[in-house]
Amino acid sequence: MASRYNLPHIDISVFSEAKDYAGDPANMKKAARDRAEHGRKLQAELLAAWASSDQARPDDDRLPATAGTRIEVELRRGTDPEVLNLKKQGIRAGASKYNATNGNRTIVLYVPDEARPVLDAILDDYLHGPLPKSGNPPKSGKVEAIEEIRQFRLAAAWTDAEDALPSEPQDVIWWGLWCYRDMVADVEAACESLDVQVAAADRRLLFPEIVVVPVYTTRAAIELMLYATGGIAELRRASDNPAFFEEEVAGDQHEWLEDLAERVVWPGANVPSVCVLDTGVNRGNALIEPVLAADDLHALRDEWGADDHHRFGHGTGMAGLALHGDLTAALADTEQRTLRHRLESVKILPPDGFDPSDPKSYGVLTQAAVAMPELQAPDRARVFCMAVSNRDVTGATASTWSAAIDQAAVGRMIGDGDDADVKEADRRKRLFVLSAGNTPPEQDYAVLQSQDDFPIEDPAQSWNALTVGGCTDLVDIHDDGFEDWTALASVGTLSPHSRTSGAWRQGVAPIKPELVMEAGNRAVNPGQTECLSMGSLSLLTSGSDVGTAPLVSFDGTSAAAAQAARMAAQIQAQYPEYWPETIRAMMVHSAQWTPAMLAELNSTQSKRARYAMVRRFGYGVPSLERALASANNHVALFAQAKIQPFKREERKFNKCHYYSLPLPPDMLETLNNEQVEMKVTLSYFIDPNPGLSANVDPQRYQSYGLRFDYQRRRETATRFKQRVNAAERAKGPRPKFESADPNWMLGDDSISAGSLHCDVWTGPAIDLLDRDTLCVKPVNGWWRLRSSLDVCNREARYALIVTLRVINPTIDIYTPIRTSIGLPLPVEIDIET
């Protein structure tokens, strides 16, 4: 390989033999010698840079087989920094730094391994190519622009303050990766391969040629990433935060607001909406008014008015997040933002001066609120979002309020029609997104309690609703006067604001929250005596005081629920044919545990211990991108199906649905011991029956239940069907079947209550060989026990999602089985238990 870079013999006579030169021949010979010397110098420097890079390249299996090299190129004064950009060959100029002493500029040049000969050829052509009449050697415009070529150093790609660059390999910060716009997917793949935590998409800054992707990782991981991908142009701190808009440019908020409002592509009237059930909304805010019609502002009582009466503008803040998400990045970039959903508002809380609502009436009032926008716009698809709770009332068991929400979700509230008019499976279903509730905002650090001491509040225990808790990635404090304070929670952990269901009885109460989203953090002073919430540890949203503060910070599980409702509406806009049950399944299925959460889950093999953890942070943090599309290393199967759980005759179980998963044996054998993840999510809505024994027996509360089951190792399809369905077995004692599969993260015992079930199987691909059958089967519910045969014979529906993912993102499993992808149809088989 070294011979490729041997320095050539330079014949300087070629520079003196050209015709029509102007000037002294002696000067021309000197110029020729100088050029030859400069070319040889650059060749030697390039050779040294290649060799140094090859020697420094880490031996890491996670790096792609073919990668690239970064070199530093010092350009002479006045040179265009893009002079060496050769995009067709993958050679790109990145970070650029100006030297005030000599006027030169140093750029970082990324060169794919396969493109190294391109630079070699440029220098060789400069030294050996035929001399044109102009007297300038070939490629002189590029070569003579270069002063020096050096080995790459990480500091060369760092364009932020020099003292902010982490010095130690394991130093961790939020980095801002300034990525070429057409290579963001390549950077994302490198992040996944190297286990680098990437911030939510809403935190990205979008510019015409650059996308800034915040990642939380070590300096060592960043150095690996620079070998793994050429998509990173430069590095900075990820420093954008709400405090900038609330403090540094507080007087100019309207200008920032109007700039964003002009960049938004606003939707028409025939799109889904998020209906916010809260304190009302001030539609005068420029980021809300275009999508919140006056006719879509409602209040339970006319005398309350529909505007936001809350002193902190809670309803307006919710509306802004439900529409735009966190505004911090959107305000700071220049990108056009396209909206595909609208807003509706129902004021359900009375303003000051009016009697508070009776808690016993919360359920009735919520259903009345649901009916108001449906009467106004009956054909509009919508997601209901509510961050109002029964303060300090635990949701350990069903209440009249949570049951009313379950009833509304399944299409059984007053006004939804009787059984003679509407079939059960065809009833109007509704998706509710509820907040888990906030912990008390204690300021005395000494009295802070475990978040498990604060159970999720009523009505967030609703089985059919999607309950959202809070996590946080916000740890950098920028508020004036608080620079020496530190964040209370670390990156990727539970937000200090979020409640949990750890105190609820496993087996009786559903797993709540199902999801967590950014809810902000809190800060602790150096003496650990005081704890405060602050702007830089919050999200940014629309304010109700349009005149003086149209932008405000916002936090808590209210913020998390609003963002989740936004995601639901975005999915609904993309897939209008999908049921509310399916949208809920897609969101939960898209969720991933953060590295901190996953480390906690993997710290124990005890399923019971994992249940307690999942009752803190649910199934993880959802992603719109993962929900809407699957990458080449994911295989997604969706099913929306109707099922009749019970029979009229003797009130027995009716049907069991079997699915054959497209898992080609040759593919599994080729993958062999490659680690794969198979994730299964099942979502359906139950008809609630609260009270009496329903508080201790989930099967008395649910109208029916569904479970999924999957073939176990060394279990034939026939044995599998016999295990899950008594109708497939011969009469007599129940035979002994294969033991439970330990590779599931949570296992069978985690599924006992609730109407959404999710689990992840992880193991070698070869362990899935000859295991391609999955079933959905009914379990008991009060429909089966009712004397009315019409009730027993009701039909229900469900959404099922199964994905297979190879842990190694470089392996493509989509191509081998793409012909098998589609909407799988269940095979119905009679069932007994």
Side-chain angles (χ1 to χ4, degrees), residues 43 47 76 95 158 199 258 303 356 407 437 455 520 526 533 547 680 700 708:
Q43 278 190 322
L47 172 62
R76 290 173 173 171
W158 181 261
E258 290 164 7
E303 57 268 30
Q407 201 175 51
S533 299
V680 183
R700 295 286 183 174
F708 65 81

Side-chain angles (χ1 to χ4, degrees), residues 630-635 811-819 821:
S630 60
N632 274 358
N633 63 325
H634 290 67
V635 178
I811 297 177
D812 171 25
I813 63 170
Y814 175 76
T815 302
I817 59 176
R818 64 184 182 273
T819 55
I821 298 298

Side-chain angles (χ1 to χ4, degrees), residues 108-129:
V108 174
L109 194 68
Y110 177 80
V111 184
D113 286 349
E114 64 272 16
R116 285 186 180 186
V118 175
L119 289 189
D120 295 337
I122 288 174
L123 291 174
D124 189 68
D125 201 17
Y126 176 80
L127 290 168
H128 294 292

Side-chain angles (χ1 to χ4, degrees), residues 1 4-5 50 53-54 57 64-70 89-91 110-120 227:
M1 180 175 176
R4 194 176 93 184
Y5 304 113
W50 293 153
S53 176
D54 292 342
R57 180 171 297 180
T66 57
T69 301
R70 282 176 172 79
Q89 290 79 25
I91 299 174
Y110 177 80
V111 184
D113 286 349
E114 64 272 16
R116 285 186 180 186
V118 175
L119 289 189
D120 295 337
Y227 280 101

Side-chain angles (χ1 to χ4, degrees), residues 562-612:
Q563 293 171 90
R566 172 178 180 248
M567 184 183 297
Q570 289 172 313
I571 296 173
Q572 199 165 49
Q574 183 76 17
Y575 297 106
E577 71 277 15
Y578 283 175
W579 302 334
E581 302 96 309
T582 310
I583 294 172
R584 180 176 68 155
M586 291 173 72
M587 292 179 66
V588 171
H589 200 85
S590 77
Q592 289 184 355
W593 291 300
T594 66
M597 296 171 188
L598 203 53
E600 192 174 344
L601 286 165
N602 289 331
S603 67
T604 177
Q605 294 301 309
S606 166
K607 297 286 195 287
R608 186 171 296 277
R610 288 175 179 171
Y611 301 159

Side-chain angles (χ1 to χ4, degrees), residues 398 403 686-695 700-703 782 786:
I686 57 94
D687 187 358
N689 182 33
L692 303 176
S693 59
N695 288 339
R700 295 286 183 174
Y701 182 75
Q702 65 189 19
S703 49
W782 64 263
R786 291 297 290 264

